[in-house]
Structures are given as C-alpha cells and as structure tokens.
Amino acid sequence: MDDADLDEVDSLEGEHGKLRDFRYAGASLRELPLSGIQLIDGRVTGLTTQRARLEELRLHSVEFSGCDLSGLRWEDSKLSRVTFTDCKMLGAVWENVTLDDVVFERCKLDLAAFTRVRAIGAVIFSSCSLREARFSAPDLSDVAFDECDLHLTEFDGGTYRDCDLRGNDLSGLRGVSALKKIIIDRPQLQGLAEAFAVEQEITFG
C-alpha cells in the first residue's frame, strides 16, 4: 500500500459509514467510539487512545502500526486482510470478531480477552506477547502462533483443529485439555506435559 495513493484524514468516521483509501496518523484521543463503519484500503499509524469502543465494523486491507489501543473493546465485527504491527493492546477485549487473513506482529496483547473469536482464513500471531491472555470458546482452526510469549495464556473451550503452536514455549499454558488436534513439535511434549501437570495439580511422590 503506497502512501501516495492514500488521502490524509482527521477522523475514521467516513461519509455514509464508509472510509476508503485513507491514512490516519498520529492521533491522540481520550476516546474512540466507532460503530457500523466500513474501513477499506487504509493505514492507521501512531494512534493512541485511552478507550476505544469498536462495534459492527467491517475492515478490508487495513494496516495498523505503532498504535496504543490499550483499553480497546472490539465487538461484532469482521476483519479481512488486516495487519497489526508493533501495536499495544493490553487488556483488550475482543468479542464475536471474525478474522480472515489477519496478522498480529510484535504486538503486546497481555491480559487480552478473546471471546468467541473465529478464524475463517489465515491468522498469524508472530513474536507477540500474550501473557495471561484468555481465549474463551474461540475457533482457532489453522491459526499459527510463532515465537510468542504464552506464559499463563488460557484456553477455555473452543475449536483448535490444526492450530500451529510450533516454535513456542508451552510450559506455562492454562487450559491444555481444550487444545485438541493442535500441531506441535515432538520436543514440545515435555512443556505441554508440565502445563498439564500444573493444571491437574499433579504431584510427584
């Protein structure tokens, strides 16, 4: 996406509920409420907000980079061909969000809550921190986690068919029993067993 082809905007509201070919940069907001908006072919950089409430959004080909969205609440939306790079989303709440070809790269998602999040296309978490994050009843089929910090990351129910957890330390996971039909490397079995033993309060005599 070439910046020369994008129009600088000072709001993400758009006209008639749609914003296309845009660049939104460097905004510092106390609140960011958005509802019922379509964002298409755009770039959001350096956005800082203390509280973002995003509902019923449709995003296609949008890039977020260097944003601080800690306090984010994102609900009932669909994201297609969206990337988040070097973004901070501590304690973010994602609920009923559909992800289709979405990449999180070097993002801080500690303490985030993902509830009924559904992956219908390629989704990758690469070099992200997900410490104490929780996935509740998600569909993470075919999702890949690569070199992520998964310390005390919890999985509660859901579907994980072919979820690729290779390249991660699994010893600190919670909710291991939910992770059916995942993909791991053989050396990771020990870490997964350690996590299972902690979860089941197994002691060694």
Side-chain angles (χ1 to χ4, degrees):
M1 195 181 300
D2 191 337
D3 277 0
D5 299 326
L6 304 178
D7 295 325
E8 194 83 28
V9 298
D10 56 12
S11 169
L12 293 174
E13 291 288 348
E15 293 185 9
H16 309 296
K18 183 179 292 187
L19 186 61
R20 182 189 292 271
D21 299 325
F22 66 92
R23 182 172 183 267
Y24 185 60
S28 181
L29 308 173
R30 181 182 295 275
E31 292 187 322
L32 176 62
L34 286 178
S35 180
I37 306 293
Q38 292 186 59
L39 302 178
I40 304 168
D41 296 325
R43 178 173 290 151
V44 180
T45 59
L47 168 63
T48 300
T49 177
Q50 296 177 28
R51 183 183 178 196
R53 182 68 181 261
L54 312 179
E55 299 176 291
E56 298 181 356
L57 302 189
R58 297 293 180 268
L59 274 65
H60 183 79
S61 295
V62 178
E63 302 174 9
F64 292 82
S65 62
C67 296
D68 186 346
L69 303 174
S70 300
L72 168 68
R73 188 173 187 93
W74 206 326
E75 300 176 320
D76 303 319
S77 300
K78 182 177 180 181
L79 283 59
S80 302
R81 297 181 61 189
V82 175
T83 62
F84 297 89
T85 306
D86 296 315
C87 291
K88 185 184 293 185
M89 293 176 274
L90 303 175
V93 174
W94 302 71
E95 188 167 350
N96 295 321
V97 176
T98 300
L99 306 176
D100 181 10
D101 195 7
V102 175
V103 176
F104 298 85
E105 186 171 10
R106 298 187 304 275
C107 291
K108 296 188 79 62
L109 289 153
D110 302 336
L111 300 169
F114 298 85
T115 303
R116 294 183 298 280
V117 170
R118 187 164 64 105
I120 62 171
V123 176
I124 300 173
F125 292 86
S126 177
S127 301
C128 292
S129 181
L130 287 150
R131 296 173 71 90
E132 299 186 61
R134 180 171 185 174
F135 292 87
S136 299
D139 185 344
L140 298 184
S141 301
D142 298 310
V143 172
F145 293 82
D146 182 46
E147 296 186 354
C148 292
D149 185 346
L150 300 177
H151 181 66
L152 298 181
T153 304
E154 183 174 353
F155 298 92
D156 180 14
T159 303
Y160 302 90
R161 187 181 188 90
D162 294 329
C163 178
D164 193 339
L165 290 170
R166 290 175 293 182
N168 303 279
D169 181 358
L170 307 182
S171 62
L173 293 185
R174 296 292 179 266
V176 174
S177 59
L179 297 175
K180 295 179 174 65
K181 301 183 179 180
I182 61 172
I183 300 171
I184 64 172
D185 285 323
R186 190 171 295 277
Q188 290 176 289
L189 277 173
Q190 182 175 346
L192 201 61
E194 290 176 15
F196 182 77
V198 170
E199 182 177 300
Q200 300 298 320
E201 299 181 2
I202 293 172
T203 58
F204 298 95

PDB file of all heavy atoms in Angstrom, residues 100-117:
ATOM      1  N   ASP A 100     -10.170 -12.942   9.035  1.00  0.00           N
ATOM      2  CA  ASP A 100      -9.909 -13.582   7.745  1.00  0.00           C
ATOM      3  C   ASP A 100      -8.643 -12.972   7.153  1.00  0.00           C
ATOM      4  O   ASP A 100      -8.653 -11.831   6.692  1.00  0.00           O
ATOM      5  CB  ASP A 100     -11.108 -13.365   6.814  1.00  0.00           C
ATOM      6  CG  ASP A 100     -10.925 -14.034   5.463  1.00  0.00           C
ATOM      7  OD1 ASP A 100      -9.971 -14.812   5.297  1.00  0.00           O
ATOM      8  OD2 ASP A 100     -11.753 -13.773   4.563  1.00  0.00           O
ATOM      9  N   ASP A 101      -7.546 -13.725   7.199  1.00  0.00           N
ATOM     10  CA  ASP A 101      -6.254 -13.237   6.716  1.00  0.00           C
ATOM     11  C   ASP A 101      -5.802 -12.022   7.545  1.00  0.00           C
ATOM     12  O   ASP A 101      -5.714 -10.897   7.042  1.00  0.00           O
ATOM     13  CB  ASP A 101      -6.335 -12.877   5.233  1.00  0.00           C
ATOM     14  CG  ASP A 101      -4.949 -12.719   4.595  1.00  0.00           C
ATOM     15  OD1 ASP A 101      -3.941 -13.027   5.274  1.00  0.00           O
ATOM     16  OD2 ASP A 101      -4.878 -12.272   3.436  1.00  0.00           O
ATOM     17  N   VAL A 102      -5.537 -12.292   8.811  1.00  0.00           N
ATOM     18  CA  VAL A 102      -5.153 -11.239   9.761  1.00  0.00           C
ATOM     19  C   VAL A 102      -3.825 -11.619  10.408  1.00  0.00           C
ATOM     20  O   VAL A 102      -3.607 -12.767  10.789  1.00  0.00           O
ATOM     21  CB  VAL A 102      -6.232 -11.045  10.845  1.00  0.00           C
ATOM     22  CG1 VAL A 102      -5.789 -10.034  11.898  1.00  0.00           C
ATOM     23  CG2 VAL A 102      -7.541 -10.588  10.199  1.00  0.00           C
ATOM     24  N   VAL A 103      -2.926 -10.629  10.534  1.00  0.00           N
ATOM     25  CA  VAL A 103      -1.602 -10.858  11.121  1.00  0.00           C
ATOM     26  C   VAL A 103      -1.379  -9.893  12.283  1.00  0.00           C
ATOM     27  O   VAL A 103      -1.597  -8.687  12.147  1.00  0.00           O
ATOM     28  CB  VAL A 103      -0.485 -10.661  10.069  1.00  0.00           C
ATOM     29  CG1 VAL A 103       0.887 -10.811  10.722  1.00  0.00           C
ATOM     30  CG2 VAL A 103      -0.641 -11.654   8.930  1.00  0.00           C
ATOM     31  N   PHE A 104      -0.959 -10.457  13.425  1.00  0.00           N
ATOM     32  CA  PHE A 104      -0.507  -9.670  14.567  1.00  0.00           C
ATOM     33  C   PHE A 104       1.000  -9.889  14.670  1.00  0.00           C
ATOM     34  O   PHE A 104       1.443 -11.016  14.900  1.00  0.00           O
ATOM     35  CB  PHE A 104      -1.173 -10.139  15.862  1.00  0.00           C
ATOM     36  CG  PHE A 104      -2.673  -9.987  15.890  1.00  0.00           C
ATOM     37  CD1 PHE A 104      -3.491 -10.976  15.357  1.00  0.00           C
ATOM     38  CD2 PHE A 104      -3.263  -8.869  16.465  1.00  0.00           C
ATOM     39  CE1 PHE A 104      -4.883 -10.861  15.402  1.00  0.00           C
ATOM     40  CE2 PHE A 104      -4.646  -8.742  16.503  1.00  0.00           C
ATOM     41  CZ  PHE A 104      -5.455  -9.731  15.976  1.00  0.00           C
ATOM     42  N   GLU A 105       1.787  -8.842  14.514  1.00  0.00           N
ATOM     43  CA  GLU A 105       3.244  -8.983  14.538  1.00  0.00           C
ATOM     44  C   GLU A 105       3.850  -8.046  15.581  1.00  0.00           C
ATOM     45  O   GLU A 105       3.615  -6.837  15.565  1.00  0.00           O
ATOM     46  CB  GLU A 105       3.830  -8.677  13.160  1.00  0.00           C
ATOM     47  CG  GLU A 105       5.326  -8.943  13.065  1.00  0.00           C
ATOM     48  CD  GLU A 105       5.847  -8.846  11.647  1.00  0.00           C
ATOM     49  OE1 GLU A 105       5.100  -8.395  10.754  1.00  0.00           O
ATOM     50  OE2 GLU A 105       7.020  -9.203  11.429  1.00  0.00           O
ATOM     51  N   ARG A 106       4.610  -8.639  16.509  1.00  0.00           N
ATOM     52  CA  ARG A 106       5.278  -7.894  17.589  1.00  0.00           C
ATOM     53  C   ARG A 106       4.286  -7.016  18.363  1.00  0.00           C
ATOM     54  O   ARG A 106       4.575  -5.865  18.700  1.00  0.00           O
ATOM     55  CB  ARG A 106       6.431  -7.046  17.038  1.00  0.00           C
ATOM     56  CG  ARG A 106       7.532  -7.853  16.375  1.00  0.00           C
ATOM     57  CD  ARG A 106       8.724  -6.967  16.004  1.00  0.00           C
ATOM     58  NE  ARG A 106       8.326  -5.849  15.154  1.00  0.00           N
ATOM     59  CZ  ARG A 106       8.202  -5.927  13.831  1.00  0.00           C
ATOM     60  NH1 ARG A 106       8.447  -7.070  13.210  1.00  0.00           N
ATOM     61  NH2 ARG A 106       7.838  -4.866  13.122  1.00  0.00           N
ATOM     62  N   CYS A 107       3.122  -7.573  18.647  1.00  0.00           N
ATOM     63  CA  CYS A 107       2.103  -6.831  19.397  1.00  0.00           C
ATOM     64  C   CYS A 107       2.075  -7.279  20.855  1.00  0.00           C
ATOM     65  O   CYS A 107       2.370  -8.430  21.163  1.00  0.00           O
ATOM     66  CB  CYS A 107       0.726  -7.047  18.773  1.00  0.00           C
ATOM     67  SG  CYS A 107       0.532  -6.277  17.141  1.00  0.00           S
ATOM     68  N   LYS A 108       1.709  -6.359  21.743  1.00  0.00           N
ATOM     69  CA  LYS A 108       1.568  -6.667  23.171  1.00  0.00           C
ATOM     70  C   LYS A 108       0.080  -6.832  23.472  1.00  0.00           C
ATOM     71  O   LYS A 108      -0.678  -5.863  23.445  1.00  0.00           O
ATOM     72  CB  LYS A 108       2.198  -5.568  24.025  1.00  0.00           C
ATOM     73  CG  LYS A 108       3.705  -5.438  23.820  1.00  0.00           C
ATOM     74  CD  LYS A 108       4.326  -4.473  24.814  1.00  0.00           C
ATOM     75  CE  LYS A 108       4.532  -5.092  26.174  1.00  0.00           C
ATOM     76  NZ  LYS A 108       5.449  -6.243  26.165  1.00  0.00           N
ATOM     77  N   LEU A 109      -0.299  -8.083  23.715  1.00  0.00           N
ATOM     78  CA  LEU A 109      -1.702  -8.427  23.961  1.00  0.00           C
ATOM     79  C   LEU A 109      -1.871  -9.055  25.335  1.00  0.00           C
ATOM     80  O   LEU A 109      -2.784  -9.858  25.556  1.00  0.00           O
ATOM     81  CB  LEU A 109      -2.186  -9.387  22.866  1.00  0.00           C
ATOM     82  CG  LEU A 109      -2.356  -8.761  21.476  1.00  0.00           C
ATOM     83  CD1 LEU A 109      -2.181  -9.801  20.381  1.00  0.00           C
ATOM     84  CD2 LEU A 109      -3.711  -8.095  21.362  1.00  0.00           C
ATOM     85  N   ASP A 110      -0.998  -8.688  26.275  1.00  0.00           N
ATOM     86  CA  ASP A 110      -1.091  -9.226  27.626  1.00  0.00           C
ATOM     87  C   ASP A 110      -2.458  -8.901  28.231  1.00  0.00           C
ATOM     88  O   ASP A 110      -2.994  -7.802  28.046  1.00  0.00           O
ATOM     89  CB  ASP A 110       0.003  -8.628  28.512  1.00  0.00           C
ATOM     90  CG  ASP A 110       1.403  -8.882  27.967  1.00  0.00           C
ATOM     91  OD1 ASP A 110       1.572  -9.855  27.204  1.00  0.00           O
ATOM     92  OD2 ASP A 110       2.317  -8.110  28.291  1.00  0.00           O
ATOM     93  N   LEU A 111      -3.013  -9.882  28.951  1.00  0.00           N
ATOM     94  CA  LEU A 111      -4.284  -9.735  29.663  1.00  0.00           C
ATOM     95  C   LEU A 111      -5.474  -9.517  28.729  1.00  0.00           C
ATOM     96  O   LEU A 111      -6.571  -9.164  29.177  1.00  0.00           O
ATOM     97  CB  LEU A 111      -4.222  -8.588  30.684  1.00  0.00           C
ATOM     98  CG  LEU A 111      -3.167  -8.740  31.776  1.00  0.00           C
ATOM     99  CD1 LEU A 111      -3.018  -7.441  32.549  1.00  0.00           C
ATOM    100  CD2 LEU A 111      -3.538  -9.868  32.734  1.00  0.00           C
ATOM    101  N   ALA A 112      -5.288  -9.740  27.437  1.00  0.00           N
ATOM    102  CA  ALA A 112      -6.401  -9.580  26.500  1.00  0.00           C
ATOM    103  C   ALA A 112      -7.388 -10.734  26.653  1.00  0.00           C
ATOM    104  O   ALA A 112      -7.026 -11.833  27.060  1.00  0.00           O
ATOM    105  CB  ALA A 112      -5.883  -9.519  25.068  1.00  0.00           C
ATOM    106  N   ALA A 113      -8.635 -10.469  26.316  1.00  0.00           N
ATOM    107  CA  ALA A 113      -9.685 -11.499  26.370  1.00  0.00           C
ATOM    108  C   ALA A 113     -10.282 -11.649  24.976  1.00  0.00           C
ATOM    109  O   ALA A 113     -10.804 -10.681  24.407  1.00  0.00           O
ATOM    110  CB  ALA A 113     -10.765 -11.103  27.370  1.00  0.00           C
ATOM    111  N   PHE A 114     -10.184 -12.859  24.438  1.00  0.00           N
ATOM    112  CA  PHE A 114     -10.749 -13.174  23.125  1.00  0.00           C
ATOM    113  C   PHE A 114     -11.930 -14.122  23.349  1.00  0.00           C
ATOM    114  O   PHE A 114     -11.741 -15.280  23.705  1.00  0.00           O
ATOM    115  CB  PHE A 114      -9.706 -13.848  22.239  1.00  0.00           C
ATOM    116  CG  PHE A 114      -8.490 -13.008  21.935  1.00  0.00           C
ATOM    117  CD1 PHE A 114      -7.410 -12.974  22.808  1.00  0.00           C
ATOM    118  CD2 PHE A 114      -8.428 -12.256  20.770  1.00  0.00           C
ATOM    119  CE1 PHE A 114      -6.290 -12.214  22.527  1.00  0.00           C
ATOM    120  CE2 PHE A 114      -7.307 -11.491  20.483  1.00  0.00           C
ATOM    121  CZ  PHE A 114      -6.235 -11.464  21.366  1.00  0.00           C
ATOM    122  N   THR A 115     -13.137 -13.633  23.144  1.00  0.00           N
ATOM    123  CA  THR A 115     -14.337 -14.429  23.398  1.00  0.00           C
ATOM    124  C   THR A 115     -15.088 -14.663  22.091  1.00  0.00           C
ATOM    125  O   THR A 115     -15.445 -13.716  21.393  1.00  0.00           O
ATOM    126  CB  THR A 115     -15.255 -13.707  24.400  1.00  0.00           C
ATOM    127  OG1 THR A 115     -14.538 -13.452  25.616  1.00  0.00           O
ATOM    128  CG2 THR A 115     -16.472 -14.553  24.719  1.00  0.00           C
ATOM    129  N   ARG A 116     -15.292 -15.935  21.761  1.00  0.00           N
ATOM    130  CA  ARG A 116     -15.989 -16.323  20.530  1.00  0.00           C
ATOM    131  C   ARG A 116     -15.381 -15.640  19.300  1.00  0.00           C
ATOM    132  O   ARG A 116     -16.092 -15.194  18.395  1.00  0.00           O
ATOM    133  CB  ARG A 116     -17.490 -16.049  20.648  1.00  0.00           C
ATOM    134  CG  ARG A 116     -18.183 -16.918  21.686  1.00  0.00           C
ATOM    135  CD  ARG A 116     -19.682 -16.666  21.731  1.00  0.00           C
ATOM    136  NE  ARG A 116     -20.004 -15.302  22.102  1.00  0.00           N
ATOM    137  CZ  ARG A 116     -20.008 -14.838  23.359  1.00  0.00           C
ATOM    138  NH1 ARG A 116     -19.728 -15.644  24.356  1.00  0.00           N
ATOM    139  NH2 ARG A 116     -20.307 -13.578  23.611  1.00  0.00           N
ATOM    140  N   VAL A 117     -14.063 -15.567  19.285  1.00  0.00           N
ATOM    141  CA  VAL A 117     -13.347 -15.071  18.109  1.00  0.00           C
ATOM    142  C   VAL A 117     -13.211 -16.220  17.119  1.00  0.00           C
ATOM    143  O   VAL A 117     -12.877 -17.344  17.507  1.00  0.00           O
ATOM    144  CB  VAL A 117     -11.971 -14.519  18.506  1.00  0.00           C
ATOM    145  CG1 VAL A 117     -11.124 -14.237  17.281  1.00  0.00           C
ATOM    146  CG2 VAL A 117     -12.140 -13.241  19.328  1.00  0.00           C
TER     147      VAL A 117
END
